[in-house]
Amino acid sequence: PQAAARQYEEELLAFFGGMPDFDLALLGMGADGHTASLFPGAVQDLPGWTAAVEHSQPPPPLLPRVTLTLASLKRARSVLFLVSGAEKAAMAARVLEGGCPAAALPAAAVQPLRGSLLWILDHTAAARLQPGMAEKYPPEKNRPVIRRK
């Protein structure tokens, strides 16, 4: 994966003519707080714009990966997290309510340097948010919950 990460970074630099500036980073979040292929407990402040990740601990799939770094993701003009599932409710509450240091959880560390951050959660992923933390559009039980930060 190291060679693939280098090649991907070279392609990004050539395409953007320098540092990558994505219009949108569309991300998810795992029940452990990982995003992209950046996992809790791993070094988060990786150099460069891409990185090779040797992923050997659950959640699966346990495969070598290539990912964008936090530095790349933070340069996006807009970051959108789309999160669903009851198994992610506790972590969504920790991340969105500030119950953990950003350095501990990659999903919490993705804070755009400029631009917007939007979280869209289904009702099961939003189940543990404190009252008033979420805006519901429309307010029916099975509709998405949207949180702006």
Side-chain angles (χ1 to χ4, degrees), residues 43-65:
V43 176
Q44 302 305 326
D45 194 18
L46 299 168
W49 307 112
T50 65
V53 177
E54 296 293 335
H55 181 58
S56 59
Q57 300 295 319
L62 303 179
L63 301 168
R65 302 164 182 228

Side-chain angles (χ1 to χ4, degrees), residues 69-86:
T69 62
L70 282 175
S72 289
L73 297 172
K74 289 179 177 184
R75 290 184 57 83
R77 288 183 187 90
S78 297
V79 175
L80 174 91
F81 277 89
L82 183 59
V83 182
S84 65

Side-chain angles (χ1 to χ4, degrees), residues 97-111:
E97 294 174 359
C100 64
L105 297 173
V110 179
Q111 299 288 324

Side-chain angles (χ1 to χ4, degrees), residues 86-102:
E87 72 280 4
K88 299 174 185 176
M91 188 57 66
R94 281 185 64 196
V95 169
L96 291 172
E97 294 174 359
C100 64

